[in-house]
Amino acid sequence: MLVLTRKLGESIAIDDHIKIRVVQIKGKQVRLGIEAPKDTKIHREEVYLAIQDQNKESSQVSSDKSKSVASLLKPLSAIDSLKEDK
């Protein structure tokens, strides 16, 4: 792990497109400002790990459950296609 020391208002650059700036230091907390392209996903680590867990759970859903959800959606898609025909 690279460890850098920065003061309030200073920043670090990651590649050419991401900049992280220290915007506030209050007690034991540091507030960071992040400039990055809109398509860059940025999360707090705990949120990122929760998303990873949710994705893993979703990928392990049995095919029977997937089929039951699909059967619930079919009537709605049929109604939508009827609306589009009008």
Side-chain angles (χ1 to χ4, degrees):
M1 174 189 305
L2 173 65
V3 178
L4 301 172
T5 301
R6 300 280 64 201
K7 295 178 181 174
L8 183 64
E10 293 181 339
S11 60
I12 61 171
I14 300 173
D15 289 331
D16 294 332
H17 308 292
I18 299 173
K19 184 186 284 188
I20 301 172
R21 180 181 307 273
V22 178
V23 295
Q24 184 181 33
I25 302 170
K26 191 175 183 181
K28 292 183 177 182
Q29 291 186 324
V30 176
R31 179 171 281 186
L32 303 172
I34 302 168
E35 295 175 26
K38 290 185 177 189
D39 60 338
T40 301
K41 296 176 183 171
I42 302 170
H43 304 284
R44 293 179 181 92
E45 185 176 25
E46 62 273 17
V47 172
Y48 177 76
L49 293 174
I51 291 169
Q52 293 294 316
D53 288 344
Q54 190 69 36
N55 288 341
K56 189 180 290 182
E57 285 180 27
S58 297
S59 68
Q60 296 172 348
V61 171
S62 71
S63 63
D64 291 340
K65 287 185 179 180
S66 298
K67 288 177 184 175
S68 67
V69 170
S71 68
L72 294 172
L73 296 176
K74 282 184 181 176
L76 293 176
S77 63
I79 291 171
D80 288 342
S81 67
L82 289 173
K83 288 180 182 176
E84 291 175 3
D85 291 340
K86 289 184 179 181

